């Protein structure tokens, strides 16, 4: 449900920003040090405890979880694609907006075909991105290509926006010889060193929040709050006002945005990136969206949510339809363009799909590479045991389907 993304070469940018602000840092450090050495220097009757900024009170009162009204949701477009406040319009070119739309719909088409291929037994597993396309494309477009992104499995659109080809998406899901991961990872767990996109397998968000704030790291934590943690709805997953409300407690600049509004996501991420680099501090963005599809092909979401609930988000508040309304109002897109693009995009996906199915699987020897520079004895024994097993039961292992 949440994903953290790093901006630029983190420590490189951090050191650069620190060098630019040496004088300010030195002054601040001396002031803080002086306060720590003599914390009771003030004669005012105010709390002098380190680590908190507060006033004394003379009555017993516990802080309520929702002591303030909910954090507002920033948006640029309404559900009909109309710009609400002209000053917030990013004023992107027609070509850029069309690229947003085509990437979002191409991702949607790829999802449909690969989901069906799993149902037909052609691949082992799949996870769709239905309904969350705006969070992917809006955030990816706001970053620089050299920025490091540590993505989550349901963020294929970010990689697609950066130019990851359909053939490599298919190769990964089919675990064929073209797969950058050499067939050693389950489907939809993509990565690409050349496009600065990797993945983190741990959800240590709280530790990350605290470290980034105290170490003043130029980071963006981007949370896609899609309403569910697999089958667990948010009202059972946590208490309090969502994820953005946690940021201030850790000292993070935080914002909540409409994740179905690609322009709102773009504006928030772009400004967060600018300030993260300029001010050397982390930012938290909570993008409110909805997971229209099942969690994965192993899940049946009808067991824990209604069809009416899903239909609302699919038919009335979808990021793709919202952007299409925006383009249609400007005569940038019409029914003819829509039909032509849908046909073309399906053709592109199907061609990549067919190529991937015909490719051989990676050489089984690759199971034992890329961990150690030189193979250690215990790993060599495992390799020998594997080949003995394969030879003994070779009728069950069609090695002609694998690269030599």
């Amino acid at each position: 449900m949440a994903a953290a993304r790093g901006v630029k070469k983190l420590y490189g940018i951090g050191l650069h920003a620190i060098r630019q602000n040496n004088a300010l840092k030195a002054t601040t450090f001396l002031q803080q040090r002086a306060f720590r050495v003599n914390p009771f220097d003030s004669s005012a009757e105010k709390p002098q405890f380190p680590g908190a900024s507060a006033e004394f009170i003379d009555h017993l009162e516990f802080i309520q979880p929702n002591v303030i009204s909910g954090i507002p949701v920033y948006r640029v477009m309404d559900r009909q694609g109309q710009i609400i406040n002209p000053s917030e319009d990013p004023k992107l070119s027609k070509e850029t907006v069309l690229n947003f739309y085509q990437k979002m719909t191409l991702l949607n088409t790829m999802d449909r075909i690969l989901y069906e291929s799993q149902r037909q037994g052609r691949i082992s597993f799949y996870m769709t991105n239905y309904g969350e396309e705006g969070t992917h494309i809006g955030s990816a477009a706001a970053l620089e290509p050299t920025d490091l992104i540590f993505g989550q499995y349901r963020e294929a659109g970010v990689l697609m926006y950066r130019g990851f080809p359909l053939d490599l998406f298919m190769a990964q899901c089919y675990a064929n010889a073209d797969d950058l991961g050499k067939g050693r990872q389950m489907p939809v767990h993509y990565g690409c060193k050349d496009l600065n996109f990797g993945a983190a397998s741990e959800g240590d968000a709280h530790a990350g929040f605290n470290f980034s704030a105290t170490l003043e790291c130029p980071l963006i934590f981007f949370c896609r709050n899609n309403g569910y943690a697999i089958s667990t709805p948010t009202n059972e997953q946590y208490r309090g006002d969502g994820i953005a409300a946690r940021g201030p407690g850790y000292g993070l600049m935080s914002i909540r945005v409409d994740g179905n509004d690609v322009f709102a996501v773009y504006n928030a991420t772009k400004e967060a990136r600018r300030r993260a680099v300029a001010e050397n501090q982390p930012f938290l963005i909570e993008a409110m969206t909805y997971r229209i599809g099942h969690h994965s092909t192993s899940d049946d979401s009808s067991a824990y949510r209604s069809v009416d609930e899903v239909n609302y988000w699919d038919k009335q508040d979808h990021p793709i339809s919202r952007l299409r309304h925006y383009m249609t109002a400007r005569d940038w897109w019409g029914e003819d363009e829509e039909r032509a693009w849908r046909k073309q995009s399906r053709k592109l996906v199907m061609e990549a799909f067919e190529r991937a199915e015909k490719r051989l699987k990676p050489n089984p020897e690759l199971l034992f590479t890329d961990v150690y520079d030189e193979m250690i004895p215990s790993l060599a024994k495992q390799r020998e045991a594997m080949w003995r097993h394969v030879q003994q039961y070779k009728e069950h292992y069609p090695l002609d389907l694998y690269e030599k």
Side-chain angles (χ1 to χ4, degrees), residues 106-121:
L106 182 62
L107 174 63
N108 192 269
T109 300
M110 183 182 79
D111 276 346
R112 294 182 188 282
I113 290 172
L114 284 175
Y115 183 87
E116 289 303 320
S117 75
Q118 192 281 335
R119 288 298 189 236
Q120 296 166 8

Side-chain angles (χ1 to χ4, degrees), residues 34-332:
F35 180 78
R36 287 197 296 268
V37 170
N38 190 12
F40 304 106
D41 194 33
S42 173
S43 59
E45 188 65 20
K46 297 180 65 176
Q48 300 293 329
F49 306 110
S53 175
E55 297 290 337
F56 283 122
I57 60 173
D58 57 8
H59 58 281
L60 179 64
E61 180 182 6
F62 290 96
I63 303 299
Q64 297 295 322
N66 294 315
V67 67
I68 60 173
S69 60
I71 294 174
V73 180
Y74 167 70
R75 67 175 182 169
V76 175
M77 291 187 288
D78 63 19
R79 291 167 186 162
Q80 288 70 48
Q82 299 296 315
I83 299 295
I84 300 166
N85 180 356
S87 66
E88 294 296 317
D89 185 350
K91 295 181 173 60
L92 299 172
S93 69
K94 176 181 177 180
E95 290 72 21
T96 299
V97 175
L98 289 177
N99 185 38
F100 281 14
Y101 184 76
Q102 289 180 333
K103 289 295 189 296
M104 290 164 71
T105 49
L106 182 62
L107 174 63
N108 192 269
T109 300
M110 183 182 79
D111 276 346
R112 294 182 188 282
I113 290 172
L114 284 175
Y115 183 87
E116 289 303 320
S117 75
Q118 192 281 335
R119 288 298 189 236
Q120 296 166 8
R122 290 170 149 171
I123 61 175
S124 62
F125 179 83
Y126 195 70
M127 306 178 86
T128 65
N129 303 274
Y130 300 148
E132 302 183 50
E133 297 89 349
T135 64
H136 301 188
I137 303 306
S139 58
L143 300 175
E144 295 295 324
T146 51
D147 292 341
L148 300 176
I149 295 177
F150 297 94
Q152 194 235 24
Y153 46 71
R154 208 184 307 279
E155 290 175 339
V158 177
L159 199 48
M160 181 176 283
Y161 188 86
R162 287 198 164 185
F164 200 66
L166 287 171
D167 282 305
L168 289 183
F169 280 115
M170 297 293 173
Q172 199 281 330
C173 289
Y174 273 91
N176 67 28
D178 295 329
D179 175 25
L180 298 181
K182 302 178 183 178
R184 296 178 297 206
Q185 180 57 281
M186 65 186 296
V188 307
H189 289 63
Y190 311 107
C192 181
K193 181 179 179 182
D194 293 340
L195 296 177
N196 298 300
F197 185 99
S201 60
E202 297 294 334
D204 300 327
H206 293 281
F209 290 170
N210 194 48
F211 271 99
S212 65
T214 55
L215 297 176
E216 300 178 345
C217 300
L219 285 166
I220 297 175
F221 292 98
F222 192 98
C223 167
R224 290 177 298 100
N225 191 338
N226 65 15
Y228 288 89
I230 307 182
S231 60
T232 305
T234 54
N235 66 332
E236 296 179 16
Q237 181 72 14
Y238 58 74
R239 291 293 185 265
D241 185 23
I243 305 302
R246 306 178 189 191
Y250 285 103
L252 299 179
M253 298 290 289
S254 306
I255 190 172
R256 175 176 287 156
V257 304
D258 183 345
N260 292 346
D261 178 351
V262 69
F263 294 157
V265 175
Y266 174 84
N267 283 354
T269 308
K270 191 173 184 66
E271 179 64 7
R273 186 199 184 281
R274 183 190 70 79
R275 292 187 60 183
V277 174
E279 301 168 14
N280 219 56
Q281 65 170 318
F283 284 74
L284 170 62
I285 299 173
E286 181 182 20
M288 309 303 292
T289 184
Y290 188 82
R291 194 198 78 208
I292 292 174
H294 305 295
H295 171 72
S296 71
T297 50
S298 302
D299 174 48
D300 177 9
S301 64
S302 66
Y304 53 84
R305 60 182 183 177
S306 70
V307 173
D308 289 341
E309 177 184 321
V310 176
N311 283 341
Y312 167 79
W313 294 99
D314 190 25
K315 306 301 182 186
Q316 298 186 44
D317 196 2
H318 199 290
I320 291 177
S321 59
R322 191 183 299 195
L323 185 59
R324 185 179 174 185
H325 288 320
Y326 175 88
M327 296 190 302
T328 301
R330 284 156 180 75
D331 292 325
W332 291 355

